[in-house]
Amino acid sequence: MFTTQLTCWACGNTYSPDQLINLCVCGKPLRVDYDLAAIARAVSPRDLAARPRDLWRYREALPLLADVEPPTLGEGGTPLLRVDALAAQLGMEAGRLLNKDEAVNPTGSFKARGMAVAVAMAKQLGARKLAVPSAGNAGGALAAYAARAGLEAHIFMPRDVPAANRLECALAGAHVTLVDGLITDCARLVQERREAEGWFDVSTLREPYRVEGKKTMGYELAEQLGWRLPDVILYPTGGGTGLIGMAKAFDEMEAMGWIGSRRPRMVSVQAAGCAPIVRAFFAGAREAGTFENAQTVAAGLRVPRAIGDFIMLDILRKSGGTAVAVEDSALLAEARALGAATGVCACPEGGACLAALRRLRTEGTVQPDETVVLFNTGSGLKYTEAFAG
Ligand SMILES: Cc1ncc(COP(=O)(O)O)c(C=O)c1O
Ligand SMILES: [Zn+2]
């Protein structure tokens, strides 16, 4: 295990990684730091080729103790697919448009990556009961990994969350509470009850390890592109763990000499009805605050306030990226277009990325010869209500 310490993303306070911990005393998220020089000595990209295609292939850059068996369901190792038909339609060169299909993860979304690592770490550090507020897919992933690890899962979801998300939690034996409100209301309930109930809170960025699981998307992208990064990444953003995790992965890989210093322009894609990061990006703000009356059929994007807002905004600006808000009608139509052109089972959040790319191509922000990665973060099968409506 190569973890050195936990460091606050905001104030720089440091903590021992040998404890179950949520936030810094200043109330901001904690980042996992590694002895990257030691990892670079222990493993090289060439060693990875012989390993199984799941996210544990990057084991040295993950926080779990070396001799601990992770509660795996086969997460990660998702395909990076060429979508030449869409590239042609968008006036891009063949081979330049790629779709990272996270729908094929266990529980049908990229949330499996974060929860696999967070649940493994919570168990290693002594937690027995885990709780989470969820827009939908995170709850399903926690339910599955908690079941796999033999831990209790307590999940708080908005009452109008997709039925498939409720079902997957129930099927995995989780305790589900439906809340009249948004994910922020669910979060408040977890906060209020966790101490009395002995729950460990695994909310987005309120513990350090979901980001570690999500960062493996960045490692995979680099490996699948021959240790090069694309020019542009479009990512549907709610709490932001994926965006933050990938940027962290790029920094780690550069420090280990696995990639160079060139970075993709990171694009945060949100729904017009809930776009706190887009609003803050164009206002030049360092934090995003709360987006009032949040509404969108893309359940994963219905996150009106994100504790990692300042980290995301920093990443977008430093990478020369941008932020795009997409109407619900467009993201649903583009999910169908993505599915029809690629065969992947696209979710509304994945459709949002295609809608955003169309806009950026029209504006001339993305050039025909640039390599672009769209993230389809989950399976469209969970969104029967959204697609039927
Ligand atoms: C399918 C899907 N895409 C995107 C997101 C947003 O992810 P993040 O919280 O990492 O920004 C979610 C979150 O629930 C989701 O379920
Ligand atoms: Zn702090």
Side-chain angles (χ1 to χ4, degrees):
M1 213 226 349
F2 296 95
T3 315
T4 53
Q5 62 186 24
L6 305 175
T7 306
C8 175
W9 284 95
C11 77
N13 258 346
T14 60
Y15 298 83
S16 159
D18 303 327
Q19 57 181 326
L20 205 53
I21 187 170
N22 285 111
L23 297 172
C24 176
V25 284
C26 80
K28 299 294 185 188
L30 296 173
R31 183 188 68 226
V32 184
D33 292 340
Y34 296 87
D35 182 346
L36 295 167
I39 299 177
R41 285 192 298 275
V43 64
S44 77
R46 227 171 317 121
D47 302 326
L48 299 175
R51 298 184 180 183
R53 296 227 158 263
D54 60 29
L55 63 77
W56 300 102
R57 68 200 271 104
Y58 309 109
R59 182 76 187 237
E60 288 83 352
L62 290 171
L64 198 63
L65 286 171
D67 57 354
V68 173
E69 212 27 60
T72 182
L73 291 164
E75 51 287 341
T78 60
L80 184 64
L81 306 165
R82 277 174 68 145
V83 271
D84 286 352
L86 282 176
Q89 204 189 83
L90 289 162
M92 296 170 65
E93 288 179 5
R96 294 298 186 178
L97 183 57
L98 303 165
N99 178 56
K100 182 80 170 148
D101 187 25
E102 292 293 302
V104 299
N105 274 300
T107 72
S109 92
F110 72 144
K111 296 280 173 184
R113 296 180 186 264
M115 284 303 182
V117 176
V119 168
M121 288 306 293
K123 184 172 184 177
Q124 179 177 297
L125 295 168
R128 289 288 164 265
K129 301 176 182 181
L130 310 179
V132 80
S134 169
N137 286 321
L142 174 62
Y145 286 97
R148 188 88 179 116
L151 305 181
E152 267 181 37
H154 298 265
I155 295 160
F156 291 75
M157 299 195 286
R159 191 172 296 282
D160 56 356
V161 78
N165 293 127
R166 292 202 306 269
L167 180 61
E168 64 185 346
C169 292
L171 290 176
H175 303 266
V176 177
T177 306
L178 297 177
V179 177
D180 292 309
L182 295 174
I183 189 173
T184 33
D185 302 298
C186 298
R188 205 181 46 245
L189 285 175
V190 171
Q191 300 293 319
E192 283 168 11
R193 291 181 53 191
R194 69 185 173 137
E195 211 163 289
E197 304 276 1
W199 296 338
F200 181 63
D201 181 358
V202 290
S203 304
T204 294
L205 285 161
R206 284 184 176 270
E207 59 75 57
Y209 300 111
R210 278 175 66 183
V211 167
E212 294 304 296
K214 290 279 191 78
K215 84 179 179 189
T216 59
M217 293 188 293
Y219 278 84
E220 271 176 35
L221 267 189
E223 187 176 3
Q224 288 170 317
L225 292 171
W227 304 104
R228 274 197 303 272
L229 299 180
D231 297 300
V232 181
I233 293 177
L234 290 105
Y235 185 82
T237 314
T241 44
L243 201 69
I244 294 167
M246 280 191 280
K248 183 173 189 284
F250 301 155
D251 290 347
E252 290 175 356
M253 287 188 285
E254 183 186 354
M256 294 190 293
W258 291 13
I259 59 167
S261 59
R262 219 181 52 79
R263 291 287 187 279
R265 307 200 294 284
M266 304 294 271
V267 180
S268 164
V269 182
Q270 297 199 301
C274 181
I277 300 300
V278 182
R279 188 177 65 182
F281 181 81
F282 286 105
R286 293 195 57 213
E287 293 185 350
T290 303
F291 198 91
E292 301 299 337
N293 303 318
Q295 255 181 354
T296 169
V297 293
L301 303 184
R302 207 164 49 145
V303 181
R305 185 175 66 241
I307 190 171
D309 53 357
F310 66 103
I311 314 171
M312 285 187 261
L313 288 162
D314 200 39
I315 289 168
L316 299 182
R317 291 185 177 122
K318 274 204 185 124
S319 74
T322 187
V324 182
V326 178
E327 296 294 338
D328 274 8
S329 54
L331 60 86
L332 286 174
E334 297 289 16
R336 294 178 198 274
L338 185 60
T342 61
V344 306
C345 190
C347 61
E349 295 84 350
C353 292
L354 179 55
L357 176 61
R358 228 180 269 281
R359 175 113 40 98
L360 297 181
R361 280 290 299 134
T362 307
E363 288 171 2
T365 323
V366 172
Q367 304 309 316
D369 62 346
E370 290 191 301
T371 302
V372 177
V373 174
L374 300 172
F375 269 86
N376 181 43
T377 41
S379 167
L381 283 178
K382 298 211 184 163
Y383 296 82
T384 44
E385 302 95 333
F387 284 116

